[in-house]
Amino acid sequence: MFGNDNIKLISGNANRKLSEAIATALHTKLSEANVTRFSDGETWVEILDNVRGADTFVVQPTCHPANEHLMELLIIIDALKRASADRITAVMPYYGYARQDRKVSPRTPISSKLVADLVTAAGADRVLTMDLHAGQIQGFFDIPVDHLYAKPVLIEYLKERFVGDEVVVVSPDAGGAERARSFAKLLKSPMAMIDKRRVKPNESEVMHIIGDAKDKHAIIIDDIIDTAGTVVKAADALMEKGAKTVSACATHAVLSGPAIERISESVIGELIVTDSIPLNEHGIQCKKIKVLSVADFLGEAIRRIHNADSVSWLFV
């Protein structure tokens, strides 16, 4: 039994279903809070529970619409700070702006660093996040960051789904090779990689496959699937090379623009994602998408942070 009066779990509007599931995993309930907007669009927050001296956790992925959800997070943190909360942890299952982690051309921002500064300036004492697009984002903060990976949740499902099958784990690009290698090791399977050349943002061209996918069940591993252009083209290339089936697996289902339509019409048999980002109505209706919950996983991390226990075993 977790129930502790000195911990408060607060949810923004980004993913209340996940927040409620985390609360259930912790055998507690969400604190009452009003997170609304005035007619001009300004965000208004009122914490209805007493949080003075409490260990508070704000669950808010900064997913679409990213700017609104980011402002909600910042204002909730400010409200908690001014209400004399003892410690404020920003629980960001999905860290928006993570892909803007470096200057890619002159006169461009490093927006993920700016977001880190804003969260810190708002008054957060700690950040709990999952599968950052770039690990160095942890260094953008001057406060402790617990960076979890959804891999244990995904691996458990993949082992059950492909038991007895000959699989190959595929990285969609060179940047994801380390991630794919770790999945391949746990699945005791070979690894392949897609060699691609990006033409322009959100569009890519598959060049060729490094590795053997013939007569195997290919599993494409990524951290984020946005417009799904890369993963769909990778799936086509794998099927052309003789793969039996192609599945895709990612932590964060951004699925913007034509993503759902592309996945529905693609050769991908199943897209496995987590609930770090809530699916929209079209995503929920897509029969190819399988959603795994990370609520228990995040709940255990929150419990350990609150009790000052080690969370290192979660960093798989």
Side-chain angles (χ1 to χ4, degrees):
M1 188 71 175
F2 181 78
N4 189 319
D5 292 337
N6 199 42
I7 185 172
K8 299 292 182 181
L9 197 66
I10 298 97
S11 176
N13 291 325
N15 196 344
R16 190 170 180 85
K17 184 177 179 180
L18 175 61
S19 302
E20 291 172 346
I22 292 173
T24 300
L26 291 171
H27 303 288
T28 187
K29 62 180 182 179
L30 290 176
S31 293
E32 293 295 325
N34 285 332
V35 183
T36 59
R37 285 179 176 78
F38 292 115
S39 60
D40 65 352
E42 291 183 1
T43 299
W44 161 254
V45 169
E46 182 181 14
I47 309 298
L48 302 179
D49 283 359
N50 178 20
V51 296
R52 184 179 297 274
D55 191 8
T56 57
F57 294 82
V58 185
V59 182
Q60 178 80 332
T62 48
C63 51
H64 176 79
N67 296 338
E68 290 186 11
H69 290 150
L70 176 60
M71 281 305 299
E72 280 185 14
L73 173 63
L74 299 176
I75 294 173
I76 293 171
I77 291 172
D78 185 73
L80 291 171
K81 179 179 66 174
R82 296 179 188 280
S84 301
D86 181 57
R87 183 176 64 175
I88 305 169
T89 300
V91 182
M92 305 170 69
Y94 172 70
Y95 187 92
Y97 287 97
R99 286 171 285 180
Q100 298 185 43
D101 62 308
R102 63 194 184 279
K103 286 175 68 71
V104 295
S105 61
R107 298 173 297 282
T108 57
I110 304 179
S111 302
S112 56
K113 165 60 175 167
L114 174 60
V115 170
D117 289 343
L118 290 171
V119 171
T120 304
D125 300 295
R126 191 178 199 95
V127 170
L128 174 61
T129 189
M130 178 175 288
D131 279 299
L132 289 170
H133 185 66
Q136 67 264 24
I137 292 174
Q138 298 171 78
F140 293 169
F141 288 90
D142 293 323
I143 56 177
V145 176
D146 291 305
H147 180 205
L148 305 182
Y149 299 89
K151 187 177 6 177
V153 176
L154 298 171
I155 284 290
E156 182 180 4
Y157 176 79
L158 291 173
K159 284 183 175 179
E160 294 177 357
R161 171 72 172 78
F162 295 100
V163 61
D165 292 331
E166 188 175 2
V167 305
V168 58
V169 173
V170 182
S171 172
D173 52 38
E178 183 178 352
R179 182 185 306 106
R181 188 179 297 112
S182 65
F183 272 78
K185 181 178 179 180
L186 292 171
L187 292 173
K188 298 180 180 178
S189 67
M191 173 189 157
M193 186 175 72
I194 304 293
D195 176 25
K196 69 176 184 179
R197 184 171 301 168
R198 189 170 294 279
V199 180
K200 58 183 178 179
N202 291 332
E203 290 190 20
S204 62
E205 179 183 353
V206 173
M207 303 300 286
H208 60 271
I209 297 171
I210 302 172
D212 182 21
K214 185 175 177 59
D215 297 326
K216 294 182 176 67
H217 296 278
I219 308 172
I220 303 170
I221 302 294
D222 212 343
D223 60 333
I224 298 172
I225 293 183
D226 190 352
T227 59
T230 294
V231 71
V232 166
K233 289 182 179 180
D236 289 339
L238 288 164
M239 292 298 286
E240 290 174 3
K241 292 296 183 180
K244 283 185 177 179
T245 63
V246 179
S247 300
C249 184
T251 301
H252 307 300
V254 176
L255 302 180
S256 65
I260 302 297
E261 183 180 357
R262 284 175 173 173
I263 291 167
S264 298
E265 297 175 354
S266 74
V267 298
I268 295 172
E270 186 176 40
L271 172 60
I272 305 148
V273 298
T274 77
D275 57 353
S276 64
I277 296 175
L279 292 180
N280 59 28
E281 184 177 347
H282 295 298
I284 293 172
Q285 293 175 353
C286 181
K287 295 181 179 180
K288 287 189 176 184
I289 300 178
K290 171 68 175 180
V291 181
L292 306 177
S293 180
V294 292
D296 290 348
F297 194 55
L298 289 171
E300 178 61 18
I302 290 171
R303 185 189 70 78
R304 287 175 171 264
I305 291 170
H306 174 67
N307 292 332
D309 292 334
S310 172
V311 296
S312 60
W313 74 275
L314 296 171
F315 301 151
V316 177

